[in-house]
Amino acid sequence: MSCFCMPHMEFVHPSNFSTSSPISRGLSPWKRGTCTCIAKRSVETVSSTTRVPRNVNIEKLQNGYLFPEIGMRQLGHMQKYPDAKLISLGIGDTTQPIPDVVTSAMAENSQALSTIKGYTGYGAEQGNRALRNAIAGEFYRDLGIKETEIFVSDGAQSDIARLQMLLGSSVTIAVQDPSFPGYIDTSIIMGQTGNFEKHTGKYGNIEYMKCEPDNSFFPELSTVSRTDVIFFCSPNNPTGYATSREQLKQLVDFAKKNGSIIVYDSAYATYISDDSPRSIFEIPGAREVAIEISSFSKFAGFTGVRLGWTVVPEELTFSNGFPVIEDFNRIVCTCFNGASSIAQAGGLACLSPEGYKAICHVINFYKENAEIMYETLSSLGLEIYGGKNAPYIWVHFPGWKSWDIFSEILEKAHIITIPGTGFGPGGEEFIRISSFAHRECILEASKRLKNLFS
């Protein structure tokens, strides 16, 4: 039986959709890297077995993985409507070309590897020092972040898994609800959670911090139980909301009071248009309680190139006073040989004056897409959120099931969206729409949605 991950396609014709093998796909709500969906096989097809038991934690993962399910529904829709021009506004994969100043730097680095003078082998596991300095200077200027506190990686998604390895199986965690599901999935695999509770849509031993429109999608911390680790994303995926300075100060104070560590995901920080903090380290005291992960994926279109970083301040310690940075360095040195030198050359080019200007031009293009879609949905009287500080728009359909909304839009407008329930129980009644698309797709989708909801 074949199983298909979400393909990246806009205005796709079925003749371009290969069903000969499982499809690898870069995922936004679930993965910032690539995901290979393994074809499901029944026990009857296995001719022999080993004596090795399956990892009981992986057994806890739900079979209804969001993107393969969407991929299967998309395939069925294309078979039903072979002449329809399908538009994908679901997956959070970038679509605009990487600026030439960046790709030229990567090409030059790649070509140099074929020469005696230019060849390099292993680099520092923590990353190219020049790149670490550039990240510190561009994103943490005047915040006291040192180059030695920055660890360059192959993407934020990989760093989430490495941080889970650092933290171990005995910690308790809290997540925003709704939120990027990778935090929960890695927690499950590490053995930090209980079983899935079908009636609530939640896993045991996880503190789900309800984030609703009434409070700008910020949790009511007075009702949140104490946990060891708090995963927090701002601007948030999927709601598109950026946490205000006062709210983030509340979160830092909450973590200090409870002796918790915040894992702060700032992957969409460069999309912030107002005065919301772009880093948690803008908040006094955050260095004592926070780790920050970020990425070049949505900032520079590196979803396929793979480059990110994690900041671990020297002041952050475990309960016994041991510096967290030393253990994370050991994890990196043991489990990772460093990011690709070619990708790091591209990262350096992104942070050059010319490169940064070009990258910001692409970001502004996606923000214009979001503005077009936001205005379209607003004109229809729908309840919409986000779209200002992030490339995502969060649309509320009171009384509807998320999958029903998804199916309605797919069936009648031939548009792929993402059902909100895929981001947690708090996402029921919502869908997420991505602005990562070509302009003609955004304009056409706007027309179709107007026709559907007018």
Side-chain angles (χ1 to χ4, degrees), residues 71 88 97 113 174 262 275 313 333:
S88 176
L113 293 174
I262 301 168
D275 61 354
C333 291

Side-chain angles (χ1 to χ4, degrees), residues 94-115:
T94 50
T95 58
Q96 295 302 295
I98 298 172
D100 182 68
V101 62
V102 178
T103 55
S104 294
M106 290 191 284
E108 182 179 344
N109 182 274
S110 178
Q111 286 294 321
L113 293 174
S114 64
T115 68

Side-chain angles (χ1 to χ4, degrees), residues 54 58 69 71 73 188 205 221 227 235 273-274 277 285 315 331 365 407 411 416 427 436 446:
R54 187 184 180 200
I58 293 181
E69 175 66 22
R73 294 192 186 206
I188 295 165
N205 299 337
L221 296 177
T227 60
S273 302
D274 58 24
E315 292 92 331
I331 292 289
F365 174 86
S407 297
E411 179 71 18
I416 292 287
F436 290 125
S446 295

